Amino acid sequence: MNTPTPVLRLENIVKTFPGVRALDGVSLSVLPGEVHALMGENGAGKSTLMKVLGGIHQPDEGQVIVNERPVVMNGPLEAKALGIVFIHQELSLAEELSVAENVYLGELPTKGFGRVDWHELYQKTDAILAKLKVGFDAKTLVKDLSIANQQMVEIARALTVEAKVVIFDEPTASLTDAEKRVLFDVISDLQANDVGVVYISHRMEEIFKITDRISVLRDGQYQGSVATKDTDEEGVTQMMIGRKLDLTRKESNHELGKIALEVRNLSSGKAFNDVSFQVRSGEVVGFYGLVGAGRTEIAETLFGLRNKSSGEILLNGEVIDVKSPRDAIEKGISLVPEDRKGQGLVLGMNCRDNMTLPQVDDITAGPFVAEGAEIAIFDQYRDSLDIRTPGWKQDVGNLSGGNQQKIVIAKWLSMKPNVLIVDEPTRGIDVGSKSEIHKLLRKLASKGLAVIVISSEMPEVMHVSDRIVAMYSGRVTRTFECGEVTEDNLVQAISGVSKLA
Amino acid sequence: MLRLSKDEAIRFLGKQGILAAFVIFMLVFALAEAKFISADNVLSVIRSSAIIGVMALGVTFVVVSGNLDLSIGSMMSFSTIVVLDLHDKIGPVLAILAMFSLTLLLGALIGFLVGYLRLNSLIVTLGMLSAIHGLTLTYSGGKNMDISDKSSWFSFFGQDSVMGIPVPILIFALLAALLGIILSKTPFGRKIYAVGGNGTAATFSGISRSKTVFFCYLISSFCVATAGLIQASRSLGSQNTVGQGLELEVLAAVILGGASLLGGAGTIAKTVVGVLMLGFIQNGLLLMGLQFYVQFVVTWVIIILAVWLDIAGKRGKLWSPLA
Ligand SMILES: Nc1ncnc2c1ncn2[C@@H]1O[C@H](COP(=O)(O)OP(=O)(O)OP(=O)(O)O)[C@@H](O)[C@H]1O
Ligand SMILES: [Mg+2]
């Protein structure tokens, strides 16, 4: 059997940004009907390479070859016309428009005199949505959808054209397991129709489940490709970071301290109800549940972003009333929020200023911000979290997704909190840094910090927590002590099954 | 090997383009009309820019915080009329104090509506534009205001010079230095950028959006009062509509300087450059003998060009389907 001709080839692509050589002579080919994983550390150049493919960036050097013909693309619509469809890492939807308008943005079906044919638009969109088995319709406004559902709208976009190549840039970062399954079905449909799929993700289990071939980038350079069945997690990690990863959890034998945070019968509207738990200093408590289980809302209430309707919060044994984030910060509570672009960062502001924003009132010399002290903080956390950026002056929006997330984490660690709440802390973070962050959370706990980790990734909560609070639909279903938890009983606890028993 | 690609060239043009265009403009005019760069003319341009300039400083705060202020022209008329009227009644010192207090009160009202009640700033300040105009007319009964004692020391702010420098220019320079430092060097300034850049992220960082926006409007109204003082002192008499239309000129200067109407970007230094550019362009056109009305058109063409170059520079292309 001879190998099929690639639908797409990239040859020696070079792309530089001021201060960064993001792509340094990368070549890659995508075959029809294959799912091709693109892997690499945060900032390795994956998104940039795909943006070159999607017509968003023009390469400085090198060629894009579609169906054996070199092409030059001056924008995403030109790429789409060639059959290249791109689902972005960062959501890029028009929030005020309907789902249908977003799905067909730029190419709405028309009837005479350029009028939009709404009937056809809604019909075609609903047909696609049916395939995706989502719970909303074509007329819904995008701003009314959850992040996960917005992601599904992005995916729906890919199904509007006769695609030859579909690029998924970390599509599952905010999807639930059920939504993931639907996505994987969509991908195997595409595959069956001889579409080439490029799939970027930091989640190893997905990579080994759905991809046929893995290509790896490191620091903008192509490291090679392997058939997925010929390698394993360790092998890929080795290619990505050039060394083996130490995944063992260092058991520190530190004593747990006093109860730092206690929540008694806390409720907030419909979001969650009658929630009670304790976190000792020195302890990591994981919150596990499906999206919508109310975990984020609990965090927001603890951080003064949401009003409680009843119940009480105790900090070091004293009842406290947190009216605003400022209150929470002054009491030593930090929150790493789940949506880095919307809640975590000010895009357009540089890395340093983003990192020190919550404490800008405190690092002063006279009436002025002490910029030297700020830079010192930045340097410290850039080194300890291995944040890849040319310098503190870089606009945080120019950092890769994972490095942006690290800036948010650094921002809240540098507040030296007593209680640290992290909501999906490793979303979009590469395997190496992920284990670094897990180690860091354990280390902080061993120094007496009380840590709450909210995560939708089971391996993450199981790995990092001392105890796990399982939630379903706004209620705590079970609290697992250390050693009690297994995958099975955890799944049960968050699906509401155990309530029947 | 130094190689400048087309994209890089455009990016450079975008970064320095407005300034470069301005320098070329100045050279052409200087060659065409020697009078243009005479010390007298330069000083007079800066002096007549001072009123616009002072207000542009305040508006920069508002714009960086992600809002607009269209009420400043009518607010300036109000300040001017009030201080002129009270001058004869309670004397210059008290008149100035009263005028500043009243104007700050108006600023606080806008700050409350936009900051604390989260009403859209365009709507609020557009409404305030006509409401304050009504207030001014009610106050004055529609009559022009004049100071009877034309030799009052009150004329100091608009007509005198200190060490050869006209006082309006001094006020503009001092205020620019002060506000420039506040915006770029203090925690308050940093918060303004955060609130304008991403209000939600600012809230998650423990910054009070309401308070920050409120103070921006307060600063803006302080600048308006200062501009009103200069205006009143310069003319010692005024119509009710003296500030009419200035909001657009001020906004033009601020944008020309490179502040983003989306919020989160802009500096006092750039605004000052914008103000001077606008002043010199208008002056140059006038010297060329262009009709006064044609000036409006040409000014706007230049501004549109400036904004376009700015955006093109940011995205590295003259045109892009991605905004
Ligand atoms: N518009 C830009 N301006 C400047 N630098 C950029 C820009 N876009 C990307 N970069 C830089 O290029 C490098 C590669 O970024 P890219 O987003 O491709 O990484 P990535 O592999 O997708 O990482 P992640 O896994 O974190 O998403 C990074 O160092 C990033 O800071
Ligand atoms: Mg990326």
Side-chain angles (χ1 to χ4, degrees):
Chain A
M1 207 183 83
N2 51 355
T3 39
T5 35
V7 270
L8 185 101
R9 272 191 304 139
L10 293 166
E11 277 180 1
N12 288 315
I13 303 285
V14 174
K15 178 75 193 174
T16 53
F17 298 109
V20 192
R21 201 168 172 88
L23 296 173
D24 194 3
V26 175
S27 303
L28 192 76
S29 66
V30 180
L31 304 175
E34 78 164 343
V35 180
H36 194 138
L38 186 59
M39 301 201 66
E41 289 178 285
N42 296 131
K46 305 178 295 293
S47 296
T48 307
L49 186 66
M50 292 303 112
K51 283 180 185 162
V52 167
L53 246 185
I56 294 163
H57 289 324
Q58 278 67 50
D60 299 343
E61 284 168 39
Q63 272 191 331
V64 179
I65 298 166
V66 179
N67 279 336
E68 299 300 303
R69 291 223 322 271
V71 294
V72 177
M73 293 174 290
N74 281 310
L77 285 181
E78 285 180 33
K80 210 168 172 180
L82 287 168
I84 302 171
V85 182
F86 190 178
I87 292 148
H88 290 266
Q89 179 172 16
E90 311 291 347
L91 293 169
S92 55
L93 299 171
E95 303 226 321
E96 297 291 332
L97 298 184
S98 69
V99 168
E101 286 165 290
N102 269 287
V103 169
Y104 282 95
L105 200 65
E107 39 200 1
L108 298 175
T110 52
K111 46 191 184 187
F113 304 108
R115 288 168 306 151
V116 173
D117 188 341
W118 294 104
H119 183 70
E120 189 189 338
L121 175 66
Y122 291 135
Q123 221 172 25
K124 278 163 79 176
T125 310
D126 277 328
I128 294 173
L129 295 179
K131 251 192 252 172
L132 292 174
K133 303 193 187 77
V134 292
F136 55 89
D137 69 9
K139 290 180 186 167
T140 318
L141 292 186
V142 165
K143 65 174 176 193
D144 295 332
L145 296 176
S146 68
I147 301 264
N149 279 332
Q150 293 188 11
Q151 186 74 55
M152 295 308 271
V153 176
E154 286 268 0
I155 292 166
R157 275 181 171 175
L159 306 180
T160 59
V161 286
E162 284 287 314
K164 291 202 183 66
V165 179
V166 181
I167 302 161
F168 292 91
D169 195 351
E170 299 194 37
T172 54
S174 49
L175 296 191
T176 63
D177 286 339
E179 287 163 330
K180 266 183 231 168
R181 275 195 292 279
V182 174
L183 174 69
F184 295 158
D185 285 347
V186 170
I187 289 179
S188 58
D189 270 0
L190 291 171
Q191 201 175 4
N193 289 326
D194 267 352
V195 175
V197 174
V198 180
Y199 191 86
I200 301 178
S201 173
H202 291 294
R203 299 193 168 161
M204 289 288 187
E205 70 284 3
E206 292 171 3
I207 299 290
F208 282 93
K209 192 164 156 194
I210 68 163
T211 69
D212 305 311
R213 213 145 60 103
I214 301 175
S215 292
V216 176
L217 296 182
R218 190 197 306 163
D219 291 334
Q221 286 174 342
Y222 175 65
Q223 300 294 309
S225 306
V226 286
T228 306
K229 61 178 175 3
D230 296 340
T231 183
D232 56 11
E233 289 195 18
E234 215 171 284
V236 177
T237 310
Q238 177 93 38
M239 273 172 94
M240 276 168 61
I241 62 181
R243 62 186 156 86
K244 279 200 186 137
L245 205 59
D246 173 21
L247 281 174
T248 51
R249 168 168 153 183
K250 269 202 235 87
E251 258 337 308
S252 49
N253 295 319
H254 64 278
E255 298 272 305
L256 292 189
K258 287 204 293 280
I259 295 172
L261 180 77
E262 179 168 7
V263 166
R264 287 185 192 153
N265 310 102
L266 195 68
S267 304
S268 170
K270 284 190 189 131
F272 59 88
N273 224 313
D274 198 21
V275 168
S276 304
F277 61 89
Q278 304 173 341
V279 189
R280 292 176 177 276
S281 57
E283 187 178 40
V284 181
V285 175
F287 274 68
Y288 189 61
L290 299 173
V291 173
R295 298 164 302 160
T296 295
E297 287 78 2
I298 294 178
E300 285 175 355
T301 310
L302 293 175
F303 199 61
L305 285 157
R306 173 186 277 273
N307 293 326
K308 62 175 198 237
S309 40
S310 64
E312 45 191 27
I313 302 167
L314 291 84
L315 191 68
N316 300 323
E318 273 174 53
V319 177
I320 56 164
D321 188 17
V322 198
K323 286 197 237 36
S324 68
R326 189 79 255 157
D327 261 2
I329 291 169
E330 269 156 22
K331 296 190 162 83
I333 302 174
S334 275
L335 170 67
V336 174
E338 74 175 323
D339 173 7
R340 64 167 168 265
K341 243 174 114 186
Q343 304 167 333
L345 297 169
V346 182
L347 302 183
M349 197 181 240
N350 68 43
C351 294
R352 180 199 70 183
D353 294 4
N354 264 292
M355 203 184 277
T356 56
L357 198 54
Q359 51 181 324
V360 69
D361 273 324
D362 304 324
I363 23 177
T364 47
F368 305 123
V369 181
E371 301 197 20
E374 285 189 288
I375 293 171
I377 292 176
F378 171 83
D379 285 343
Q380 182 194 337
Y381 285 91
R382 181 190 52 193
D383 295 345
S384 69
L385 296 183
D386 187 24
I387 300 171
R388 308 272 169 92
T389 162
W392 64 263
K393 288 188 183 137
Q394 182 74 296
D395 174 353
V396 78
N398 287 342
L399 263 54
S400 79
N403 283 303
Q404 289 182 2
Q405 180 70 18
K406 289 183 188 177
I407 298 269
V408 184
I409 293 176
K411 164 172 160 180
W412 289 107
L413 285 185
S414 67
M415 294 301 292
K416 306 252 161 26
N418 301 318
V419 176
L420 175 67
I421 307 169
V422 291
D423 196 350
E424 305 289 357
T426 58
R427 180 176 283 172
I429 285 195
D430 68 53
V431 278
S433 309
K434 196 167 179 169
S435 80
E436 290 303 317
I437 286 172
H438 290 164
K439 281 197 194 117
L440 187 74
L441 291 174
R442 299 287 325 161
K443 193 170 111 195
L444 290 166
S446 75
K447 287 186 179 157
L449 198 69
V451 183
I452 293 178
V453 177
I454 300 172
S455 173
S456 305
E457 282 185 57
M458 191 187 296
E460 177 160 283
V461 258
M462 291 185 53
H463 182 70
V464 81
S465 329
D466 295 311
R467 285 189 302 133
I468 297 176
V469 175
M471 289 193 65
Y472 171 73
S473 174
R475 286 177 183 279
V476 173
T477 48
R478 186 168 168 190
T479 302
F480 295 91
E481 296 301 323
C482 191
E484 266 181 10
V485 60
T486 65
E487 280 192 27
D488 281 345
N489 58 21
L490 194 52
V491 167
Q492 245 179 32
I494 63 148
S495 56
V497 180
S498 61
K499 277 174 72 181
L500 301 173
Chain B
M1 189 177 80
L2 182 76
R3 213 172 38 127
L4 204 64
S5 76
K6 188 175 137 225
D7 283 3
E8 278 168 310
I10 293 171
R11 207 167 275 139
F12 175 79
L13 208 65
K15 248 188 204 152
Q16 317 295 340
I18 297 177
L19 218 55
F22 179 58
V23 170
I24 293 170
F25 174 92
M26 292 290 279
L27 284 175
V28 170
F29 269 88
L31 290 177
E33 178 65 69
K35 208 177 134 209
F36 186 63
I37 44 164
S38 69
D40 268 1
N41 190 53
V42 168
L43 220 54
S44 107
V45 169
I46 301 179
R47 186 166 73 182
S48 56
S49 299
I51 289 179
I52 295 279
V54 166
M55 290 199 283
L57 300 175
V59 169
T60 304
F61 276 69
V62 172
V63 168
V64 171
S65 81
N67 294 294
L68 278 176
D69 194 346
L70 296 179
S71 68
I72 52 166
S74 112
M75 202 188 284
M76 189 201 112
S77 306
F78 173 81
S79 317
T80 310
I81 293 295
V82 167
V83 77
L84 287 173
D85 175 58
L86 293 181
H87 179 275
D88 285 5
K89 292 181 182 156
I90 57 177
V93 176
L94 285 179
I96 292 171
L97 281 179
M99 177 273 268
F100 267 85
S101 314
L102 288 173
T103 312
L104 284 172
L105 218 56
L106 290 174
L109 176 61
I110 299 176
F112 174 76
L113 294 174
V114 179
Y116 286 89
L117 298 190
R118 300 277 160 90
L119 303 181
N120 180 296
S121 67
L122 183 78
I123 308 289
V124 168
T125 59
L126 205 58
M128 284 304 266
L129 186 159
S130 67
I132 297 176
H133 185 55
L135 191 67
T136 312
L137 287 173
T138 315
Y139 183 90
S140 67
K143 294 192 306 280
N144 293 350
M145 285 293 169
D146 276 299
I147 289 180
S148 48
D149 175 14
K150 297 288 181 201
S151 64
S152 162
W153 62 265
F154 182 76
S155 65
F156 169 79
F157 305 104
Q159 301 179 14
D160 286 4
S161 291
V162 174
M163 291 180 300
I165 305 171
V167 176
I169 297 184
L170 279 179
I171 295 178
F172 179 37
L174 285 177
L175 209 54
L178 178 70
L179 293 178
I181 287 173
I182 290 181
L183 189 58
S184 66
K185 298 282 178 218
T186 65
F188 172 59
R190 187 72 63 75
K191 290 181 199 170
I192 299 174
Y193 285 101
V195 166
N198 182 350
T200 310
T203 306
F204 270 76
S205 301
I207 294 169
S208 164
R209 271 162 96 171
S210 314
K211 204 161 116 188
T212 308
V213 169
F214 178 83
F215 278 107
C216 286
Y217 277 106
L218 216 53
I219 288 175
S220 180
S221 65
F222 178 83
C223 291
V224 170
T226 309
L229 176 65
I230 298 173
Q231 174 65 36
S233 161
R234 182 159 81 183
S235 53
L236 299 182
S238 171
Q239 298 175 335
N240 288 288
T241 52
V242 55
Q244 202 170 46
L246 290 189
E247 58 278 344
L248 287 186
E249 265 188 75
V250 167
L251 206 58
V254 172
I255 296 173
L256 206 54
S260 162
L261 283 184
L262 298 176
T267 65
I268 290 294
K270 285 182 180 169
T271 290
V272 171
V273 172
V275 168
L276 295 181
M277 268 156 77
L278 196 67
F280 278 106
I281 290 169
Q282 289 177 342
N283 173 260
L285 295 176
L286 210 65
L287 285 184
M288 249 173 61
L290 226 61
Q291 247 195 7
F292 186 64
Y293 307 108
V294 182
Q295 250 196 65
F296 288 113
V297 181
V298 178
T299 308
W300 274 105
V301 170
I302 290 168
I303 288 162
I304 299 296
L305 214 66
V307 173
W308 180 42
L309 264 180
D310 186 42
I311 294 175
K314 279 194 190 114
R315 64 187 171 211
K317 286 190 206 120
L318 289 180
W319 183 86
S320 150
L322 300 163

